[in-house]
Amino acid sequence: MRAKMRLMGFSAHAVKPLNEDAAAELGAELLGEATIFVVACGCLVLEYWRHQAQRRREERERHAAWDAMRDEVDHLALALEALQDRVQAAPLQSAVVELQAQMREVRAQLCARDPPSEPQATPKEE
């Protein structure tokens, strides 16, 4: 009781000693309040830990999703590069095929103009 009075700012010398029943009741009340305070503090600490664990888990999931998106973008960039190479190679191949077709046409025209001549016999010396 003296400690309580000192905390409240009163003089502790003016307080009469308590009888046994009142002291037991105040002690039980103090013990109950202390128990409630400890349980409340424990709940606050546990809730803080739970919240921190959830925040770390969400952060890991966000990083995993970010890494997966980055990997997917890298994969798509490689696929795009391969497709661009194929597109660039395709006109070259079609140009080669076109040139080959033109050469066949020119050969056909040349063959049509100049039929193969008969080999001329060389005169024999007698």
Side-chain angles (χ1 to χ4, degrees):
M1 189 67 180
R2 285 184 185 155
K4 184 177 179 182
M5 293 301 284
R6 276 191 211 132
L7 288 174
M8 291 173 56
F10 295 111
S11 173
H13 298 289
V15 177
K16 294 185 213 174
L18 293 175
N19 63 16
E20 212 172 290
D21 290 337
E25 185 178 324
L26 283 176
E29 193 175 303
L30 179 65
L31 185 61
E33 288 178 6
T35 302
I36 290 171
F37 181 75
V38 167
V39 169
C41 287
C43 288
L44 285 174
V45 167
L46 289 174
E47 181 63 25
Y48 175 76
W49 286 345
R50 187 190 68 78
H51 177 69
Q52 291 300 318
Q54 181 180 359
R55 189 180 60 77
R56 282 190 300 268
R57 184 176 52 252
E58 288 173 355
E59 187 71 23
R60 281 192 307 268
E61 289 172 359
R62 193 172 24 251
H63 281 296
W66 181 257
D67 290 341
M69 282 192 289
R70 189 179 311 137
D71 291 343
E72 184 68 21
V73 166
D74 291 343
H75 173 72
L76 290 174
L78 290 174
L80 177 63
E81 190 175 312
L83 286 173
Q84 285 176 337
D85 290 343
R86 285 179 55 195
V87 166
Q88 288 174 354
L92 295 177
Q93 289 174 350
S94 64
V96 168
V97 170
E98 186 178 328
L99 286 174
Q100 288 173 345
Q102 288 176 359
M103 285 185 61
R104 276 188 235 117
E105 289 175 17
V106 169
R107 282 186 188 151
Q109 288 174 1
L110 287 175
C111 289
R113 283 188 197 164
D114 297 324
S117 59
E118 302 269 333
Q120 296 179 357
T122 55
K124 293 184 182 179
E125 292 185 20
E126 292 180 29

